[in-house]
Amino acid sequence: MLRFSILGALEIRTDAGEADVCGDLQRTLVQTLLVSEGRPVSGESLAEEMWGDALPDRQANALQAHISRLRRRLRALEPDRPASRVTIHPAGYRLSVGEGELDAAEFVRTVRQAESAATHDPGGTARMLGEALALWRGPVFGGFPGGTLCQLAGARYEEHRMRAMELLFDAELRLGRHASVLAELAEAHTNHPLRERFCEQLMIALYCSGRQADALDVFRRMRGRLDEELGIQPSPALRRIEMAILSHDPVLTGDPRIPALQPV
């Protein structure tokens, strides 16, 4: 069994250790097939991803040479596998990846499971998401984004990472761990200053840690940033958090017996 990792620099691991992927074109080919998660990719799309506007003469032959090279490499890593992982279909080329073999697919699956468990099991949700977020070793593909298909996939996985962080912070707040997540929330808000959910969560954590003035200051700065950079006002959800803080609403305490404030 091979394990493919793209939540960071591309890695292929065997039971014996990490296997090299040599050359930018081979790396782009592997990444493009992996982010398709078992769906065929047309030869034209693969060629455009690998060479961009600088398509080689006889591009079909050049692509086939790289496909053959990848097949040989994977076969050498799995000599007992009965069939090649890379197959040709009417719609293009497909890389077979089984359950548990691609870190990004496992990450997305875990985030979806956590969304279902978040309201009734915050402790389990926090543990699940903490383990999932630990799969990230850096930016998707480690700063080697490839072409359009890989860039779109990278943005999609990054959005799932943001959602995982939001769910994790929600779970920690529901568990009453306001002070312990303050540093991480402040960092998330600083790194993603226009993402309102991080701002809401930071305000709640500050308020529940006895820092009401700081929580309201975060709101004021966020309101100014939204107006200056986007020309918009804070969302109703963010304004509800401000009003709850001003009125000392007990919903902010995270008591599981009290319905939580929900974003709109």
Side-chain angles (χ1 to χ4, degrees), residues 234-254:
S235 68
L238 188 54
R239 292 198 300 270
R240 282 205 305 273
I241 299 296
E242 181 205 23
M243 293 305 299
I245 289 173
L246 290 170
S247 63
H248 301 282
D249 193 322
V251 75
L252 296 171
T253 63

Side-chain angles (χ1 to χ4, degrees), residues 26-101:
Q26 280 284 293
R27 189 177 299 113
T28 301
L29 174 60
V30 174
Q31 289 178 177
T32 306
L33 292 170
L34 284 173
V35 300
S36 299
E37 296 185 10
R39 297 181 300 273
V41 185
S42 70
E44 292 80 3
S45 295
L46 284 173
E48 184 176 345
E49 199 78 1
M50 293 169 67
W51 288 287
D53 295 331
L55 290 171
D57 296 333
R58 304 175 66 183
Q59 72 177 56
N61 289 344
L63 176 60
Q64 186 57 51
H66 277 281
I67 292 289
S68 297
R69 178 180 169 190
L70 176 59
R71 278 179 172 154
R72 290 194 299 271
R73 179 60 174 145
L74 295 178
R75 188 179 303 119
L77 296 176
E78 295 181 295
D80 297 329
R81 188 180 178 90
S84 175
R85 279 185 180 266
V86 182
T87 52
I88 302 177
H89 297 262
Y93 297 91
R94 176 179 179 269
L95 175 61
S96 177
V97 180
E99 185 175 346
E101 292 184 334

Side-chain angles (χ1 to χ4, degrees), residues 153-173:
R156 183 173 71 250
Y157 293 133
E158 179 64 21
E159 181 58 32
H160 279 291
R161 185 172 77 91
M162 294 297 99
R163 179 59 178 151
M165 292 172 65
E166 290 173 351
L167 289 167
L168 175 59
F169 291 140
D170 278 343
E172 296 284 6
L173 293 175

